[in-house]
Amino acid sequence: MIDPRTVQRILDAADIYEVVSDFVSLKKRGVNYIGLCPFHSDNTPSFYVSPAKGICKCFACGNGGNPVHFVMQHDNISYTEALRYLAKKYNIEIVEKELTKEEQQAQSDRESMFIMNTYARDYFHNILRNHEEGRSVGMGYFRQRGFREDIIEKFQLGYCTEHRYAFAQEAIQKGYKQEFLLKTGLCYETDDKKLRDRFWGRIIFPIHSISGKIIGFGGRVLSTQTKGITAKYVNSPESEVYHKSDVLYGIYFAKNAIQKANCCYIVEGYTDVISMHQAGIENVVAPSGTAFTFQQIKLIKRFTKNLTLLFDGDAAGIKAAVKSINMLLEEDMNIKICLLPEDEDPDSFARKNSSTEFQEYIQKNEVDFIRFKTRFLEKEAANDPIKRAELIKDLVGSIAVIPEAITRDIYIKECGQLLHIDDRLLVSEVAKQRTANAEQKQKPVHGGTQAEGQKEETITPPFATDNTAVIDAARARKAREFLKYEQQITQAIVRYGEKIMCQMEEEDGSQVPVSVINYISNDLKEDDISFYNPVYQRILEEATAHANDANFISERFFVNHLDPIVSSAAIELATERYQLSKVHSKTQTVLSDEERLFELVPMLMINLKNAIVASELKEIIEQLKNPAIAADENKCSELMNRYKELKDIERIMAKHLGDRVVLR
Ligand code: ZN
């Protein structure tokens, strides 16, 4: 909720060298600085800071960015919190954005809900400690499970009596509003308009946000009362403050331990988390009442990339583990799976073993997913070639989602060894699978920009269909097909946008300087081309809009862009390791990229256009192979004409490139 102008002031003031050197000791290396990366255990300095670009980046783990990104990653805090930190460092007074009525309402609603939940937590805890039923039933249960006093206190466990209306009545009497009893889901309204306690007769597990706020509750029915009640656990319903797919039970108590151990254990239930804490293992969390989700992985990823799934040795546990694997791999997590001995869950196992014994068991028994899946699936597959093929396909599917090539390679080797398959076969299968995945994934975002219509006109095959699904798929393919070309052009915009690359001659013979952005945007406009990849299209549009601003420096503008999607993309493109000249080295001179813009940029443009033309030519050939079209004489000649036209364009382009290079 910081005013955008304040945000811009902070971004302008923050000096990347000053910000990073508060945490990393930096040495000068040429125009840059280098140091040990704070984000991975680094032995040789892989972390470089470029004061000129205003960014930092680790070549080994890829972390870094502008000053805000750095602070966010370093302190595991949000974008806004990072801005506040920098504002403080640079003595910038924060002007809060004026909230609309709705925003104010929403904010005070959230505050009220946190206050309501905090009251409820204290109420339930007090009942557990001091109420007769709480002490006998609630406390009795915890004692029977062997929970220690300090653990009950730490997790702020509680109890709600069987009265059904007791909590609601007391809260109302204390002046809490019915509205927030309902909004938090602590109570619900019965048919006769009475407020009933959602958690009556249950043991209470408060659920904390990462910063320790109470966002919801889990309630467990006691085994003596399960008659007629089907669910053992009830959780708070989804609310403004509780989104169960974003929440990990125990994260507030585990985050420091996870960071320290550089590893996180995932278990299934609340009591698993608590028992392990009691046994002295604190880097452990559980999904709260859901299957493992993408957002939960993101949350863990802020602290570590190493995950171990701890599951019961029964079939259900194994199935649950298998289900989560691909999602975790896709997020570039390093995952291990550890099955507990039969008839044990983390809760019972923690109670029977010391912390050291438990840790030793994990170390001895955790395996990576290849071994886990192989072991699990191979039993059935041993003598059945079809099942064996399925197992291999399954493993290939898992390896294919891993983003890092080196990691994929390691797993391919391991898989080959375990199953006695030729690595080369696996490599090609994984590559095939990756292509298929990418095609499915590259669904571009509909920005609703005016350029969308143009795209269709320029590139869709002559007989466009009005079936949106088909168009979407086609566009997704195009976005992928032209990614490389669009990326290179956008890189030229980000790195050299404002630089003068050539002089154009006007009709009256005068010479006009042309910047990289002007050149690119005019050239694309002339041919009615826009980018398929939304973030590049956005950079192109914004660069065009600002190209003639006084003192506009493209790299600074995009690297510090207010939208993190744009700034991240720009940082990626601004990073040293990608050199345009590595892609194109037509001349054998020692000129730098910047000195060769007059020839590099036109070449990038021609490359894109060639790719577009080649793609349409290929499509036409495909069309002509279609028997239905081959039978249609008109359609055929239409296609043939377009084919000839495109071939001509190809020739003209080659010549055109020569023309422009002469201009300098
Ligand atoms: Zn690093």
Side-chain angles (χ1 to χ4, degrees), residues 138-392:
M139 212 44 145
Y141 171 79
F142 289 135
R143 292 259 156 74
Q144 177 214 326
R145 293 211 74 132
F147 285 4
R148 282 194 319 254
E149 280 295 320
D150 61 309
I151 287 293
I152 293 171
E153 205 58 40
K154 177 176 179 181
F155 284 88
Q156 304 165 346
L157 305 178
Y159 181 73
C160 183
T161 64
E162 288 185 44
H163 183 281
R164 296 179 198 210
Y165 304 98
F167 167 70
Q169 281 165 7
E170 180 144 342
I172 292 285
Q173 202 199 343
K174 284 253 156 53
Y176 289 94
K177 284 198 193 143
Q178 170 164 346
E179 181 191 352
F180 297 114
L181 284 166
L182 292 172
K183 273 190 175 162
T184 51
L186 281 160
C187 300
Y188 58 93
E189 225 169 9
T190 56
D191 292 339
D192 53 350
K193 297 279 167 211
K194 278 176 100 174
L195 270 187
R196 182 183 284 179
D197 302 344
R198 181 175 307 269
F199 296 104
W200 65 269
R202 284 167 200 268
I203 295 288
I204 306 286
F205 300 87
I207 300 168
H208 298 76
S209 75
I210 193 156
S211 59
K213 285 188 171 145
I214 307 295
I215 50 179
F217 297 89
R220 187 191 194 284
V221 164
L222 296 180
S223 48
T224 50
Q225 308 167 304
T226 36
K227 271 179 261 158
I229 298 170
T230 44
K232 232 176 13 178
Y233 279 95
V234 161
N235 283 308
S236 294
E238 291 282 311
S239 75
E240 194 110 334
V241 297
Y242 180 64
H243 307 285
K244 64 180 170 189
S245 58
D246 297 356
V247 174
L248 283 165
Y249 181 73
I251 188 76
Y252 173 62
F253 301 110
K255 60 181 177 182
N256 290 337
I258 294 172
Q259 217 159 4
K260 216 163 129 198
N262 191 18
C263 164
C264 178
Y265 297 132
I266 309 292
V267 294
E268 279 175 294
Y270 302 146
T271 52
D272 296 329
V273 172
I274 296 174
S275 291
M276 284 179 71
H277 264 262
Q278 178 155 321
I281 302 171
E282 298 189 345
N283 50 329
V284 55
V285 295
S288 126
T290 58
F292 219 24
T293 68
F294 176 70
Q295 294 95 308
Q296 289 165 340
I297 299 168
K298 289 260 177 215
L299 199 57
I300 298 172
K301 212 174 164 186
R302 285 165 61 174
F303 304 103
T304 184
K305 276 172 92 173
N306 302 311
L307 270 187
T308 298
L309 306 170
L310 282 179
F311 281 104
D312 318 357
D314 64 18
I318 295 171
K319 274 210 182 105
V322 169
K323 254 188 177 166
S324 311
I325 288 176
N326 280 16
M327 193 169 49
L328 290 163
L329 290 171
E330 210 167 329
E331 276 305 300
D332 202 17
M333 299 295 268
N334 173 22
I335 58 162
K336 300 247 163 87
I337 298 113
C338 177
L339 291 182
L340 294 170
E342 211 134 322
D343 300 324
E344 297 281 7
D345 55 28
D347 179 11
S348 64
F349 198 67
R351 276 184 276 139
K352 286 180 207 154
N353 295 279
S354 72
S355 155
T356 326
E357 286 164 344
F358 201 146
Q359 309 255 30
E360 271 172 16
Y361 178 87
I362 294 171
Q363 264 153 33
K364 240 189 246 161
N365 290 280
E366 64 181 1
V367 292
D368 66 44
F369 75 96
I370 298 275
R371 273 171 210 281
F372 176 75
K373 277 194 171 177
T374 309
R375 200 177 290 170
F376 168 55
L377 298 167
E378 210 182 21
K379 271 182 218 149
E380 310 171 42
N383 299 314
D384 184 339
I386 292 174
K387 284 217 169 116
R388 194 175 142 79
E390 273 169 17
L391 166 62
I392 295 167

Side-chain angles (χ1 to χ4, degrees), residues 37 40 58 61:
C37 174
H40 79 278
C58 173
C61 70

